Amino acid sequence: MRIDELLKTKQTYSYEIFPPKGTMPLSDARKVAEALAQDHPDWISTTFSAGGTGSSSHTAEICDTVQNDLGITSLAHLTCLGSSKEDVERYVEKLDRAGVSNVLALRGDRAPGRDAIDFTYASDLISYLKAQHPELCLGAACYPEGHVESPSMRRSLENLKRKQDAGADFFVTQLFFDNETFYRFRDLCARGRIKIPIVVGIMPFTSQKQITRMAFTCGASIPSAVIKRIIAAGDDPAEQAKAGVAYAIEQLQDLAQNGVDGLHIYTMNKPAMAHEIHEALVGCGYLAS
Ligand code: FAD
């Protein structure tokens, strides 16, 4: 099922997982997907790693499992920095064989040795895919606080318009911890003639260390409400993680109530945590059981 079609019918609920990293076997990643599927999300997205320990070759395989063995719509991430058109074609062919028709088209983070070959920005990849594979439904990334490399929100919004005009069918946000930031961003998008749906991506914080790292990698600000929750949780890692899930549930309830297009959970491959969030949203009537 195309995700843009789904978004026309409902406020969606979805999960993100990542493929095996390091020595983690593919079967473990499949088990994560199986456990997440119990919640019947509208789709599961699988991240793409162009280098390091995560293997991009496994992304298509996990997408295949999700879509064909678990019967859940798959969204395959794809980064283009360091990739040629031939690399992209090989990946799309794998997705096509698995019947996966949703792609989240991304630039990827800059890294030493990962230079642009055929694509410099995500909008280049979106234009290319739209022209070569018009059957694909294309998602793109957006940033409620602006992209870290962007000199201003205006420039960041111009890029979203560029991605929409290139053929993006929907956006998924980077994580954020302050819903007011998202509502301001949504208003700016509407004024900037950004019309495609915006799915919100929420990641529960798991510890003070993790949230600080996130803030520095993606530029998400940490509101005082979050700092107070972490202080109240004390030094116990389990209590900090519990506080993170509770905060994410409150964030999601508020977002659901305020009519966002879709709720997407960055599960960090933790199905029990995702299930707790799912049950809380079912409990207050935002999701069907
Ligand atoms: P772009 O849209 O290309 O933007 C990158 C920067 O370039 C921005 O600052 C933009 O303003 C600027 N820019 C764009 N076009 C122009 C132009 N023509 N002229 C001047 N400046 C321009 N990373 C992974 O490696 N794997 C993943 O699976 C992955 N999944 C993600 C999922 C989501 C929902 C999000 C939000 C991010 C994800 N990322 C992933 C991270 C992403 O790759 C980084 O945030 C990356 O730095 C930017 O990617 P982009 O697609 O937004 O890039």
Side-chain angles (χ1 to χ4, degrees), residues 16-17 45-50 77-80 104-110 114 120-124 126 140-143 146-152 155-160 162-163 171-175 199 201 218 264 266:
E16 178 194 272
I17 56 176
S45 77
T46 309
T47 63
F48 185 97
S49 177
H77 294 210
L78 168 61
T79 64
C80 63
L104 191 71
L106 302 147
R107 185 197 69 179
D109 282 324
R110 292 188 194 284
R114 198 181 301 153
T120 306
Y121 297 113
S123 54
D124 303 330
I126 295 167
C142 70
Y143 304 85
H147 183 254
V148 270
E149 291 167 29
S150 206
S152 66
R155 293 281 282 278
S156 205
L157 287 166
E158 279 168 10
N159 186 42
L160 300 188
R162 201 178 293 123
K163 293 201 267 194
F171 283 120
V172 182
T173 73
Q174 177 176 269
L175 63 94
V199 173
C218 66
H264 190 60
Y266 295 117

Side-chain angles (χ1 to χ4, degrees), residues 57-101:
S57 65
H58 288 324
T59 301
E61 290 173 59
I62 308 243
C63 287
D64 188 350
T65 300
V66 165
Q67 181 127 330
N68 298 307
D69 301 339
L70 305 175
I72 292 179
T73 295
S74 245
L75 171 62
H77 294 210
L78 168 61
T79 64
C80 63
L81 213 51
S83 293
S84 64
K85 286 178 183 169
E86 289 73 25
D87 296 328
V88 167
E89 285 304 325
R90 269 193 294 276
Y91 182 72
V92 172
E93 200 182 305
K94 274 194 201 166
L95 297 181
D96 186 47
R97 276 203 298 273
V100 174
S101 57

Side-chain angles (χ1 to χ4, degrees), residues 216-251:
F216 276 87
T217 34
C218 66
S221 52
I222 307 175
S224 60
V226 167
I227 295 170
K228 285 176 188 159
R229 300 284 180 108
I230 294 174
I231 291 171
D235 291 335
D236 183 352
E239 285 301 313
Q240 289 191 2
K242 221 164 108 183
V245 173
Y247 187 82
I249 290 170
E250 286 169 34
Q251 250 195 302

